[in-house]
Amino acid sequence: MIVRRKTRQITVGDVKVGGDAPISVQSMASTDTRDIEATVAQIAGLERAGCELIRVAVPDMEAALSLRSIRERISIPLIADIHFDSRLAVASMENGAQAIRINPGNLGGESKLARVVDAAKMHGLPIRVGVNSGSIEKDLLGTYGYPTPENPRSLIESALRNIQLLEKQGFHEIKISIKSSDTLTTIHGYRELAARTDYPLHIGVTEAGGLIGGCVKSSVALGILLFEGIGDTFRISLTRPPLEEVRVGYELLRSLQIRQRGPELISCPTCGRTPIDIFSLAEKVEEYVQTMKAPLKVAVMGCAVNGPGEAREADIGVAGGKGVGIIFKKGKLYKKVAEADLLEVFMTELKKMEDQYGREKQ
């Protein structure tokens, strides 16, 4: 049983982070924030997939001013990602950002940080202190060395130093992240940080990589931390469309039995008995179930001989055969279908189950 670490609670828009709030899944838009139409369209797709917090890059004043139009057209909280320029942080908050992500030590000094904190207080917004292995102050690197699994101290001390800068300004609506591209450094760093502060933590592996490498590194690091009760919100950082980050995030939560959203898809790994193109079938079914909300278990099996038995716990499943396939429910044959019509008929059955779930929820 997972026992969550006790943390303070902050509010980002209408989403609670920390305390007893659900662990939230977030992502970052890959569009140019100044392209309002593209950014809104991408965020809309992320909302449908269950993204609960969205961060956008704010590289200049035009991007900061674009936040107002974006905020008016989306439903999830909007976070502005700021580097180096305190003016962009203030302008972002004035134009609709519901939180900001900064590294307080690189904003240009105490007076500039004070202006940012004053704006956050005035608008009632939280600040995420985000420190990465590549942004650690030189004096801390000189004292503690570059962060490693054996010694993540410089990463932790940098975060705590920056937290103290905010606390000195009388500000405590804070969440913290200390990201590394190394899996073990991420795990050990967050463990130690969690033991030294009760602020909510945003966890993640930065620059994790592409689909396979990034999913593995992020799932290992975040899976271990979440299992140990560490982490209040997270992002799966992939060199892929952000929609895939959200999908992986929910699968991670599902695998730890922390949260469930929509159907669970199980599929066989194939073998020489598989007479159909199960890769294509599974991919199309997976794409469709991502749009569903019913908490079903859906199976895609390659063999009509063993499929229903191996996936008897599935609410509904499909299995292929030579020229004909079957649809089964709870391990029992429901319908035989010509192979050419198998996908279409199966999708129709999924739609019926989704509609029934919607009626029952009303």
Side-chain angles (χ1 to χ4, degrees), residues 256-294:
L256 292 168
Q257 297 183 12
I258 294 174
R259 291 184 67 185
Q260 178 171 315
R261 183 185 187 276
E264 175 185 3
L265 179 67
I266 59 175
S267 57
C268 72
T270 79
C271 67
R273 291 193 301 269
T274 304
I276 63 171
D277 180 6
I278 191 171
F279 297 132
S280 177
L281 180 61
E283 185 175 308
K284 290 173 181 175
V285 172
E286 181 178 26
E287 183 178 344
Y288 181 76
V289 299
Q290 294 291 341
T291 67
M292 298 173 63
K293 295 181 180 180

PDB file of all heavy atoms in Angstrom, residues 256-294:
ATOM      1  N   LEU A 256       0.429   1.654 -10.871  1.00  0.00           N
ATOM      2  CA  LEU A 256       0.665   1.700  -9.424  1.00  0.00           C
ATOM      3  C   LEU A 256      -0.643   1.713  -8.631  1.00  0.00           C
ATOM      4  O   LEU A 256      -0.621   1.812  -7.404  1.00  0.00           O
ATOM      5  CB  LEU A 256       1.489   2.944  -9.070  1.00  0.00           C
ATOM      6  CG  LEU A 256       2.935   2.948  -9.573  1.00  0.00           C
ATOM      7  CD1 LEU A 256       3.548   4.339  -9.415  1.00  0.00           C
ATOM      8  CD2 LEU A 256       3.766   1.919  -8.831  1.00  0.00           C
ATOM      9  N   GLN A 257      -1.758   1.630  -9.358  1.00  0.00           N
ATOM     10  CA  GLN A 257      -3.096   1.659  -8.750  1.00  0.00           C
ATOM     11  C   GLN A 257      -3.308   2.929  -7.919  1.00  0.00           C
ATOM     12  O   GLN A 257      -3.946   2.904  -6.868  1.00  0.00           O
ATOM     13  CB  GLN A 257      -3.334   0.408  -7.900  1.00  0.00           C
ATOM     14  CG  GLN A 257      -3.310  -0.867  -8.723  1.00  0.00           C
ATOM     15  CD  GLN A 257      -3.613  -2.117  -7.929  1.00  0.00           C
ATOM     16  OE1 GLN A 257      -4.071  -2.050  -6.792  1.00  0.00           O
ATOM     17  NE2 GLN A 257      -3.356  -3.271  -8.519  1.00  0.00           N
ATOM     18  N   ILE A 258      -2.762   4.043  -8.430  1.00  0.00           N
ATOM     19  CA  ILE A 258      -2.936   5.334  -7.771  1.00  0.00           C
ATOM     20  C   ILE A 258      -4.163   6.052  -8.325  1.00  0.00           C
ATOM     21  O   ILE A 258      -4.993   6.561  -7.580  1.00  0.00           O
ATOM     22  CB  ILE A 258      -1.676   6.203  -7.955  1.00  0.00           C
ATOM     23  CG1 ILE A 258      -0.487   5.582  -7.214  1.00  0.00           C
ATOM     24  CG2 ILE A 258      -1.920   7.634  -7.459  1.00  0.00           C
ATOM     25  CD1 ILE A 258       0.829   6.298  -7.465  1.00  0.00           C
ATOM     26  N   ARG A 259      -4.271   6.097  -9.656  1.00  0.00           N
ATOM     27  CA  ARG A 259      -5.419   6.720 -10.311  1.00  0.00           C
ATOM     28  C   ARG A 259      -5.740   5.943 -11.570  1.00  0.00           C
ATOM     29  O   ARG A 259      -4.866   5.310 -12.167  1.00  0.00           O
ATOM     30  CB  ARG A 259      -5.117   8.179 -10.694  1.00  0.00           C
ATOM     31  CG  ARG A 259      -4.981   9.132  -9.545  1.00  0.00           C
ATOM     32  CD  ARG A 259      -4.790  10.567 -10.055  1.00  0.00           C
ATOM     33  NE  ARG A 259      -5.977  11.078 -10.729  1.00  0.00           N
ATOM     34  CZ  ARG A 259      -6.029  12.261 -11.341  1.00  0.00           C
ATOM     35  NH1 ARG A 259      -4.952  13.035 -11.355  1.00  0.00           N
ATOM     36  NH2 ARG A 259      -7.135  12.687 -11.919  1.00  0.00           N
ATOM     37  N   GLN A 260      -6.996   6.020 -11.992  1.00  0.00           N
ATOM     38  CA  GLN A 260      -7.405   5.375 -13.232  1.00  0.00           C
ATOM     39  C   GLN A 260      -8.247   6.347 -14.028  1.00  0.00           C
ATOM     40  O   GLN A 260      -9.144   6.983 -13.495  1.00  0.00           O
ATOM     41  CB  GLN A 260      -8.196   4.105 -12.952  1.00  0.00           C
ATOM     42  CG  GLN A 260      -8.677   3.418 -14.222  1.00  0.00           C
ATOM     43  CD  GLN A 260      -9.259   2.046 -13.938  1.00  0.00           C
ATOM     44  OE1 GLN A 260      -8.685   1.272 -13.193  1.00  0.00           O
ATOM     45  NE2 GLN A 260     -10.415   1.759 -14.531  1.00  0.00           N
ATOM     46  N   ARG A 261      -7.932   6.460 -15.303  1.00  0.00           N
ATOM     47  CA  ARG A 261      -8.734   7.296 -16.202  1.00  0.00           C
ATOM     48  C   ARG A 261      -8.970   6.526 -17.492  1.00  0.00           C
ATOM     49  O   ARG A 261      -8.038   6.188 -18.199  1.00  0.00           O
ATOM     50  CB  ARG A 261      -8.020   8.606 -16.510  1.00  0.00           C
ATOM     51  CG  ARG A 261      -8.855   9.545 -17.385  1.00  0.00           C
ATOM     52  CD  ARG A 261      -8.095  10.775 -17.790  1.00  0.00           C
ATOM     53  NE  ARG A 261      -8.956  11.714 -18.480  1.00  0.00           N
ATOM     54  CZ  ARG A 261      -9.243  11.663 -19.792  1.00  0.00           C
ATOM     55  NH1 ARG A 261      -8.736  10.701 -20.534  1.00  0.00           N
ATOM     56  NH2 ARG A 261     -10.046  12.565 -20.344  1.00  0.00           N
ATOM     57  N   GLY A 262     -10.216   6.246 -17.765  1.00  0.00           N
ATOM     58  CA  GLY A 262     -10.559   5.566 -18.997  1.00  0.00           C
ATOM     59  C   GLY A 262     -10.175   4.099 -18.981  1.00  0.00           C
ATOM     60  O   GLY A 262      -9.780   3.533 -17.963  1.00  0.00           O
ATOM     61  N   PRO A 263     -10.271   3.439 -20.150  1.00  0.00           N
ATOM     62  CA  PRO A 263     -10.035   2.001 -20.222  1.00  0.00           C
ATOM     63  C   PRO A 263      -8.564   1.630 -20.039  1.00  0.00           C
ATOM     64  O   PRO A 263      -7.658   2.409 -20.320  1.00  0.00           O
ATOM     65  CB  PRO A 263     -10.489   1.643 -21.648  1.00  0.00           C
ATOM     66  CG  PRO A 263     -11.352   2.771 -22.085  1.00  0.00           C
ATOM     67  CD  PRO A 263     -10.796   3.982 -21.416  1.00  0.00           C
ATOM     68  N   GLU A 264      -8.376   0.388 -19.577  1.00  0.00           N
ATOM     69  CA  GLU A 264      -7.056  -0.228 -19.566  1.00  0.00           C
ATOM     70  C   GLU A 264      -6.993  -1.168 -20.760  1.00  0.00           C
ATOM     71  O   GLU A 264      -7.876  -2.004 -20.959  1.00  0.00           O
ATOM     72  CB  GLU A 264      -6.828  -1.010 -18.282  1.00  0.00           C
ATOM     73  CG  GLU A 264      -5.506  -1.771 -18.267  1.00  0.00           C
ATOM     74  CD  GLU A 264      -5.328  -2.635 -17.049  1.00  0.00           C
ATOM     75  OE1 GLU A 264      -6.262  -2.700 -16.226  1.00  0.00           O
ATOM     76  OE2 GLU A 264      -4.266  -3.275 -16.922  1.00  0.00           O
ATOM     77  N   LEU A 265      -5.955  -1.025 -21.569  1.00  0.00           N
ATOM     78  CA  LEU A 265      -5.803  -1.868 -22.751  1.00  0.00           C
ATOM     79  C   LEU A 265      -4.757  -2.934 -22.480  1.00  0.00           C
ATOM     80  O   LEU A 265      -3.635  -2.625 -22.074  1.00  0.00           O
ATOM     81  CB  LEU A 265      -5.390  -1.028 -23.961  1.00  0.00           C
ATOM     82  CG  LEU A 265      -5.185  -1.806 -25.261  1.00  0.00           C
ATOM     83  CD1 LEU A 265      -6.507  -2.382 -25.761  1.00  0.00           C
ATOM     84  CD2 LEU A 265      -4.557  -0.915 -26.327  1.00  0.00           C
ATOM     85  N   ILE A 266      -5.139  -4.204 -22.676  1.00  0.00           N
ATOM     86  CA  ILE A 266      -4.169  -5.289 -22.609  1.00  0.00           C
ATOM     87  C   ILE A 266      -4.116  -5.933 -23.983  1.00  0.00           C
ATOM     88  O   ILE A 266      -5.120  -6.022 -24.686  1.00  0.00           O
ATOM     89  CB  ILE A 266      -4.533  -6.323 -21.523  1.00  0.00           C
ATOM     90  CG1 ILE A 266      -5.917  -6.937 -21.764  1.00  0.00           C
ATOM     91  CG2 ILE A 266      -4.483  -5.695 -20.146  1.00  0.00           C
ATOM     92  CD1 ILE A 266      -6.278  -8.044 -20.795  1.00  0.00           C
ATOM     93  N   SER A 267      -2.936  -6.349 -24.398  1.00  0.00           N
ATOM     94  CA  SER A 267      -2.798  -6.977 -25.714  1.00  0.00           C
ATOM     95  C   SER A 267      -1.669  -7.992 -25.661  1.00  0.00           C
ATOM     96  O   SER A 267      -0.711  -7.835 -24.905  1.00  0.00           O
ATOM     97  CB  SER A 267      -2.537  -5.925 -26.796  1.00  0.00           C
ATOM     98  OG  SER A 267      -1.387  -5.166 -26.502  1.00  0.00           O
ATOM     99  N   CYS A 268      -1.792  -9.028 -26.474  1.00  0.00           N
ATOM    100  CA  CYS A 268      -0.786 -10.087 -26.443  1.00  0.00           C
ATOM    101  C   CYS A 268       0.445  -9.660 -27.233  1.00  0.00           C
ATOM    102  O   CYS A 268       0.378  -8.807 -28.116  1.00  0.00           O
ATOM    103  CB  CYS A 268      -1.367 -11.381 -26.991  1.00  0.00           C
ATOM    104  SG  CYS A 268      -1.646 -11.396 -28.768  1.00  0.00           S
ATOM    105  N   PRO A 269       1.603 -10.258 -26.929  1.00  0.00           N
ATOM    106  CA  PRO A 269       2.837  -9.867 -27.602  1.00  0.00           C
ATOM    107  C   PRO A 269       3.012 -10.510 -28.974  1.00  0.00           C
ATOM    108  O   PRO A 269       4.023 -10.284 -29.626  1.00  0.00           O
ATOM    109  CB  PRO A 269       3.919 -10.373 -26.637  1.00  0.00           C
ATOM    110  CG  PRO A 269       3.296 -11.546 -25.965  1.00  0.00           C
ATOM    111  CD  PRO A 269       1.834 -11.211 -25.827  1.00  0.00           C
ATOM    112  N   THR A 270       2.060 -11.314 -29.401  1.00  0.00           N
ATOM    113  CA  THR A 270       2.034 -12.045 -30.671  1.00  0.00           C
ATOM    114  C   THR A 270       2.996 -13.239 -30.659  1.00  0.00           C
ATOM    115  O   THR A 270       3.956 -13.276 -29.891  1.00  0.00           O
ATOM    116  CB  THR A 270       2.355 -11.162 -31.907  1.00  0.00           C
ATOM    117  OG1 THR A 270       3.758 -10.974 -32.008  1.00  0.00           O
ATOM    118  CG2 THR A 270       1.629  -9.848 -31.832  1.00  0.00           C
ATOM    119  N   CYS A 271       2.683 -14.155 -31.546  1.00  0.00           N
ATOM    120  CA  CYS A 271       3.540 -15.324 -31.762  1.00  0.00           C
ATOM    121  C   CYS A 271       3.219 -15.860 -33.153  1.00  0.00           C
ATOM    122  O   CYS A 271       2.482 -15.237 -33.919  1.00  0.00           O
ATOM    123  CB  CYS A 271       3.288 -16.392 -30.687  1.00  0.00           C
ATOM    124  SG  CYS A 271       1.648 -17.160 -30.780  1.00  0.00           S
ATOM    125  N   GLY A 272       3.756 -17.035 -33.474  1.00  0.00           N
ATOM    126  CA  GLY A 272       3.543 -17.602 -34.799  1.00  0.00           C
ATOM    127  C   GLY A 272       2.114 -18.015 -35.078  1.00  0.00           C
ATOM    128  O   GLY A 272       1.760 -18.278 -36.232  1.00  0.00           O
ATOM    129  N   ARG A 273       1.260 -18.069 -34.034  1.00  0.00           N
ATOM    130  CA  ARG A 273      -0.140 -18.425 -34.249  1.00  0.00           C
ATOM    131  C   ARG A 273      -0.991 -17.238 -34.670  1.00  0.00           C
ATOM    132  O   ARG A 273      -2.151 -17.400 -35.009  1.00  0.00           O
ATOM    133  CB  ARG A 273      -0.733 -19.025 -32.967  1.00  0.00           C
ATOM    134  CG  ARG A 273      -0.195 -20.382 -32.583  1.00  0.00           C
ATOM    135  CD  ARG A 273      -1.070 -21.013 -31.496  1.00  0.00           C
ATOM    136  NE  ARG A 273      -1.130 -20.169 -30.309  1.00  0.00           N
ATOM    137  CZ  ARG A 273      -0.286 -20.274 -29.294  1.00  0.00           C
ATOM    138  NH1 ARG A 273       0.705 -21.154 -29.345  1.00  0.00           N
ATOM    139  NH2 ARG A 273      -0.409 -19.501 -28.238  1.00  0.00           N
ATOM    140  N   THR A 274      -0.424 -16.024 -34.610  1.00  0.00           N
ATOM    141  CA  THR A 274      -1.215 -14.821 -34.883  1.00  0.00           C
ATOM    142  C   THR A 274      -1.468 -14.686 -36.387  1.00  0.00           C
ATOM    143  O   THR A 274      -0.531 -14.452 -37.157  1.00  0.00           O
ATOM    144  CB  THR A 274      -0.489 -13.564 -34.374  1.00  0.00           C
ATOM    145  OG1 THR A 274      -0.209 -13.726 -32.993  1.00  0.00           O
ATOM    146  CG2 THR A 274      -1.333 -12.331 -34.586  1.00  0.00           C
ATOM    147  N   PRO A 275      -2.717 -14.800 -36.820  1.00  0.00           N
ATOM    148  CA  PRO A 275      -3.014 -14.785 -38.258  1.00  0.00           C
ATOM    149  C   PRO A 275      -3.380 -13.410 -38.795  1.00  0.00           C
ATOM    150  O   PRO A 275      -3.679 -13.281 -39.980  1.00  0.00           O
ATOM    151  CB  PRO A 275      -4.201 -15.737 -38.367  1.00  0.00           C
ATOM    152  CG  PRO A 275      -4.944 -15.518 -37.092  1.00  0.00           C
ATOM    153  CD  PRO A 275      -3.911 -15.174 -36.039  1.00  0.00           C
ATOM    154  N   ILE A 276      -3.425 -12.390 -37.948  1.00  0.00           N
ATOM    155  CA  ILE A 276      -3.837 -11.056 -38.393  1.00  0.00           C
ATOM    156  C   ILE A 276      -2.758 -10.036 -38.056  1.00  0.00           C
ATOM    157  O   ILE A 276      -1.816 -10.323 -37.323  1.00  0.00           O
ATOM    158  CB  ILE A 276      -5.164 -10.630 -37.726  1.00  0.00           C
ATOM    159  CG1 ILE A 276      -4.988 -10.535 -36.203  1.00  0.00           C
ATOM    160  CG2 ILE A 276      -6.291 -11.574 -38.091  1.00  0.00           C
ATOM    161  CD1 ILE A 276      -6.166  -9.916 -35.483  1.00  0.00           C
ATOM    162  N   ASP A 277      -2.917  -8.845 -38.593  1.00  0.00           N
ATOM    163  CA  ASP A 277      -2.000  -7.735 -38.300  1.00  0.00           C
ATOM    164  C   ASP A 277      -2.400  -7.140 -36.948  1.00  0.00           C
ATOM    165  O   ASP A 277      -3.095  -6.133 -36.882  1.00  0.00           O
ATOM    166  CB  ASP A 277      -2.077  -6.685 -39.403  1.00  0.00           C
ATOM    167  CG  ASP A 277      -1.133  -5.505 -39.152  1.00  0.00           C
ATOM    168  OD1 ASP A 277      -0.337  -5.570 -38.187  1.00  0.00           O
ATOM    169  OD2 ASP A 277      -1.211  -4.517 -39.909  1.00  0.00           O
ATOM    170  N   ILE A 278      -1.952  -7.780 -35.876  1.00  0.00           N
ATOM    171  CA  ILE A 278      -2.374  -7.343 -34.541  1.00  0.00           C
ATOM    172  C   ILE A 278      -1.748  -6.014 -34.158  1.00  0.00           C
ATOM    173  O   ILE A 278      -2.317  -5.245 -33.376  1.00  0.00           O
ATOM    174  CB  ILE A 278      -2.055  -8.421 -33.479  1.00  0.00           C
ATOM    175  CG1 ILE A 278      -2.762  -8.056 -32.161  1.00  0.00           C
ATOM    176  CG2 ILE A 278      -0.563  -8.586 -33.293  1.00  0.00           C
ATOM    177  CD1 ILE A 278      -2.696  -9.139 -31.118  1.00  0.00           C
ATOM    178  N   PHE A 279      -0.571  -5.705 -34.712  1.00  0.00           N
ATOM    179  CA  PHE A 279       0.065  -4.424 -34.388  1.00  0.00           C
ATOM    180  C   PHE A 279      -0.833  -3.264 -34.814  1.00  0.00           C
ATOM    181  O   PHE A 279      -1.081  -2.330 -34.048  1.00  0.00           O
ATOM    182  CB  PHE A 279       1.436  -4.309 -35.063  1.00  0.00           C
ATOM    183  CG  PHE A 279       2.427  -5.338 -34.615  1.00  0.00           C
ATOM    184  CD1 PHE A 279       3.162  -6.058 -35.541  1.00  0.00           C
ATOM    185  CD2 PHE A 279       2.627  -5.604 -33.272  1.00  0.00           C
ATOM    186  CE1 PHE A 279       4.079  -7.006 -35.134  1.00  0.00           C
ATOM    187  CE2 PHE A 279       3.548  -6.553 -32.856  1.00  0.00           C
ATOM    188  CZ  PHE A 279       4.269  -7.267 -33.792  1.00  0.00           C
ATOM    189  N   SER A 280      -1.320  -3.334 -36.037  1.00  0.00           N
ATOM    190  CA  SER A 280      -2.196  -2.277 -36.548  1.00  0.00           C
ATOM    191  C   SER A 280      -3.508  -2.242 -35.778  1.00  0.00           C
ATOM    192  O   SER A 280      -4.017  -1.173 -35.424  1.00  0.00           O
ATOM    193  CB  SER A 280      -2.454  -2.499 -38.033  1.00  0.00           C
ATOM    194  OG  SER A 280      -3.349  -1.535 -38.531  1.00  0.00           O
ATOM    195  N   LEU A 281      -4.068  -3.430 -35.499  1.00  0.00           N
ATOM    196  CA  LEU A 281      -5.333  -3.504 -34.769  1.00  0.00           C
ATOM    197  C   LEU A 281      -5.198  -2.905 -33.375  1.00  0.00           C
ATOM    198  O   LEU A 281      -6.020  -2.083 -32.950  1.00  0.00           O
ATOM    199  CB  LEU A 281      -5.791  -4.961 -34.671  1.00  0.00           C
ATOM    200  CG  LEU A 281      -7.113  -5.225 -33.932  1.00  0.00           C
ATOM    201  CD1 LEU A 281      -8.270  -4.517 -34.632  1.00  0.00           C
ATOM    202  CD2 LEU A 281      -7.371  -6.724 -33.844  1.00  0.00           C
ATOM    203  N   ALA A 282      -4.134  -3.309 -32.665  1.00  0.00           N
ATOM    204  CA  ALA A 282      -3.926  -2.802 -31.303  1.00  0.00           C
ATOM    205  C   ALA A 282      -3.696  -1.295 -31.308  1.00  0.00           C
ATOM    206  O   ALA A 282      -4.186  -0.573 -30.430  1.00  0.00           O
ATOM    207  CB  ALA A 282      -2.748  -3.513 -30.653  1.00  0.00           C
ATOM    208  N   GLU A 283      -2.970  -0.801 -32.305  1.00  0.00           N
ATOM    209  CA  GLU A 283      -2.680   0.633 -32.377  1.00  0.00           C
ATOM    210  C   GLU A 283      -3.951   1.442 -32.588  1.00  0.00           C
ATOM    211  O   GLU A 283      -4.153   2.482 -31.942  1.00  0.00           O
ATOM    212  CB  GLU A 283      -1.693   0.893 -33.520  1.00  0.00           C
ATOM    213  CG  GLU A 283      -1.228   2.323 -33.628  1.00  0.00           C
ATOM    214  CD  GLU A 283      -0.166   2.489 -34.710  1.00  0.00           C
ATOM    215  OE1 GLU A 283       0.831   1.741 -34.687  1.00  0.00           O
ATOM    216  OE2 GLU A 283      -0.345   3.361 -35.574  1.00  0.00           O
ATOM    217  N   LYS A 284      -4.828   0.967 -33.458  1.00  0.00           N
ATOM    218  CA  LYS A 284      -6.066   1.698 -33.738  1.00  0.00           C
ATOM    219  C   LYS A 284      -7.028   1.644 -32.542  1.00  0.00           C
ATOM    220  O   LYS A 284      -7.698   2.629 -32.237  1.00  0.00           O
ATOM    221  CB  LYS A 284      -6.717   1.139 -34.994  1.00  0.00           C
ATOM    222  CG  LYS A 284      -5.936   1.480 -36.265  1.00  0.00           C
ATOM    223  CD  LYS A 284      -6.502   0.781 -37.497  1.00  0.00           C
ATOM    224  CE  LYS A 284      -5.669   1.128 -38.728  1.00  0.00           C
ATOM    225  NZ  LYS A 284      -6.105   0.376 -39.925  1.00  0.00           N
ATOM    226  N   VAL A 285      -7.080   0.483 -31.881  1.00  0.00           N
ATOM    227  CA  VAL A 285      -7.919   0.384 -30.688  1.00  0.00           C
ATOM    228  C   VAL A 285      -7.376   1.274 -29.582  1.00  0.00           C
ATOM    229  O   VAL A 285      -8.139   1.976 -28.892  1.00  0.00           O
ATOM    230  CB  VAL A 285      -8.018  -1.080 -30.212  1.00  0.00           C
ATOM    231  CG1 VAL A 285      -8.731  -1.156 -28.867  1.00  0.00           C
ATOM    232  CG2 VAL A 285      -8.750  -1.930 -31.247  1.00  0.00           C
ATOM    233  N   GLU A 286      -6.049   1.271 -29.414  1.00  0.00           N
ATOM    234  CA  GLU A 286      -5.445   2.105 -28.376  1.00  0.00           C
ATOM    235  C   GLU A 286      -5.737   3.585 -28.621  1.00  0.00           C
ATOM    236  O   GLU A 286      -6.062   4.333 -27.690  1.00  0.00           O
ATOM    237  CB  GLU A 286      -3.930   1.884 -28.327  1.00  0.00           C
ATOM    238  CG  GLU A 286      -3.231   2.703 -27.249  1.00  0.00           C
ATOM    239  CD  GLU A 286      -1.745   2.440 -27.185  1.00  0.00           C
ATOM    240  OE1 GLU A 286      -1.155   2.049 -28.212  1.00  0.00           O
ATOM    241  OE2 GLU A 286      -1.162   2.646 -26.099  1.00  0.00           O
ATOM    242  N   GLU A 287      -5.646   4.002 -29.870  1.00  0.00           N
ATOM    243  CA  GLU A 287      -5.936   5.399 -30.211  1.00  0.00           C
ATOM    244  C   GLU A 287      -7.371   5.754 -29.858  1.00  0.00           C
ATOM    245  O   GLU A 287      -7.654   6.835 -29.339  1.00  0.00           O
ATOM    246  CB  GLU A 287      -5.690   5.622 -31.701  1.00  0.00           C
ATOM    247  CG  GLU A 287      -5.893   7.057 -32.159  1.00  0.00           C
ATOM    248  CD  GLU A 287      -5.592   7.242 -33.634  1.00  0.00           C
ATOM    249  OE1 GLU A 287      -4.956   6.361 -34.237  1.00  0.00           O
ATOM    250  OE2 GLU A 287      -6.002   8.282 -34.190  1.00  0.00           O
ATOM    251  N   TYR A 288      -8.293   4.822 -30.087  1.00  0.00           N
ATOM    252  CA  TYR A 288      -9.702   5.100 -29.803  1.00  0.00           C
ATOM    253  C   TYR A 288      -9.978   5.123 -28.299  1.00  0.00           C
ATOM    254  O   TYR A 288     -10.678   6.013 -27.806  1.00  0.00           O
ATOM    255  CB  TYR A 288     -10.598   4.064 -30.482  1.00  0.00           C
ATOM    256  CG  TYR A 288     -12.067   4.309 -30.234  1.00  0.00           C
ATOM    257  CD1 TYR A 288     -12.729   5.325 -30.907  1.00  0.00           C
ATOM    258  CD2 TYR A 288     -12.781   3.550 -29.315  1.00  0.00           C
ATOM    259  CE1 TYR A 288     -14.078   5.575 -30.672  1.00  0.00           C
ATOM    260  CE2 TYR A 288     -14.127   3.791 -29.071  1.00  0.00           C
ATOM    261  CZ  TYR A 288     -14.768   4.804 -29.753  1.00  0.00           C
ATOM    262  OH  TYR A 288     -16.094   5.061 -29.509  1.00  0.00           O
ATOM    263  N   VAL A 289      -9.453   4.155 -27.555  1.00  0.00           N
ATOM    264  CA  VAL A 289      -9.789   4.090 -26.129  1.00  0.00           C
ATOM    265  C   VAL A 289      -9.214   5.276 -25.354  1.00  0.00           C
ATOM    266  O   VAL A 289      -9.680   5.583 -24.253  1.00  0.00           O
ATOM    267  CB  VAL A 289      -9.330   2.752 -25.480  1.00  0.00           C
ATOM    268  CG1 VAL A 289      -9.997   1.576 -26.142  1.00  0.00           C
ATOM    269  CG2 VAL A 289      -7.810   2.618 -25.480  1.00  0.00           C
ATOM    270  N   GLN A 290      -8.222   5.947 -25.932  1.00  0.00           N
ATOM    271  CA  GLN A 290      -7.698   7.137 -25.272  1.00  0.00           C
ATOM    272  C   GLN A 290      -8.746   8.236 -25.176  1.00  0.00           C
ATOM    273  O   GLN A 290      -8.632   9.137 -24.346  1.00  0.00           O
ATOM    274  CB  GLN A 290      -6.463   7.678 -26.025  1.00  0.00           C
ATOM    275  CG  GLN A 290      -5.257   6.770 -25.996  1.00  0.00           C
ATOM    276  CD  GLN A 290      -4.623   6.661 -24.636  1.00  0.00           C
ATOM    277  OE1 GLN A 290      -4.851   7.504 -23.772  1.00  0.00           O
ATOM    278  NE2 GLN A 290      -3.827   5.631 -24.422  1.00  0.00           N
ATOM    279  N   THR A 291      -9.774   8.163 -26.023  1.00  0.00           N
ATOM    280  CA  THR A 291     -10.828   9.179 -25.996  1.00  0.00           C
ATOM    281  C   THR A 291     -11.970   8.783 -25.067  1.00  0.00           C
ATOM    282  O   THR A 291     -12.895   9.555 -24.859  1.00  0.00           O
ATOM    283  CB  THR A 291     -11.401   9.396 -27.404  1.00  0.00           C
ATOM    284  OG1 THR A 291     -12.108   8.212 -27.828  1.00  0.00           O
ATOM    285  CG2 THR A 291     -10.291   9.698 -28.401  1.00  0.00           C
ATOM    286  N   MET A 292     -11.929   7.574 -24.494  1.00  0.00           N
ATOM    287  CA  MET A 292     -13.022   7.059 -23.676  1.00  0.00           C
ATOM    288  C   MET A 292     -12.805   7.365 -22.197  1.00  0.00           C
ATOM    289  O   MET A 292     -11.676   7.553 -21.750  1.00  0.00           O
ATOM    290  CB  MET A 292     -13.156   5.540 -23.875  1.00  0.00           C
ATOM    291  CG  MET A 292     -13.500   5.119 -25.296  1.00  0.00           C
ATOM    292  SD  MET A 292     -13.448   3.313 -25.508  1.00  0.00           S
ATOM    293  CE  MET A 292     -14.752   2.778 -24.384  1.00  0.00           C
ATOM    294  N   LYS A 293     -13.897   7.396 -21.454  1.00  0.00           N
ATOM    295  CA  LYS A 293     -13.830   7.644 -20.015  1.00  0.00           C
ATOM    296  C   LYS A 293     -14.264   6.433 -19.182  1.00  0.00           C
ATOM    297  O   LYS A 293     -13.962   6.365 -17.997  1.00  0.00           O
ATOM    298  CB  LYS A 293     -14.702   8.847 -19.655  1.00  0.00           C
ATOM    299  CG  LYS A 293     -14.205  10.156 -20.253  1.00  0.00           C
ATOM    300  CD  LYS A 293     -15.078  11.323 -19.843  1.00  0.00           C
ATOM    301  CE  LYS A 293     -14.561  12.629 -20.450  1.00  0.00           C
ATOM    302  NZ  LYS A 293     -15.403  13.793 -20.070  1.00  0.00           N
ATOM    303  N   ALA A 294     -14.971   5.496 -19.800  1.00  0.00           N
ATOM    304  CA  ALA A 294     -15.443   4.323 -19.067  1.00  0.00           C
ATOM    305  C   ALA A 294     -14.261   3.503 -18.558  1.00  0.00           C
ATOM    306  O   ALA A 294     -13.343   3.203 -19.326  1.00  0.00           O
ATOM    307  CB  ALA A 294     -16.322   3.473 -19.969  1.00  0.00           C
TER     308      ALA A 294
END
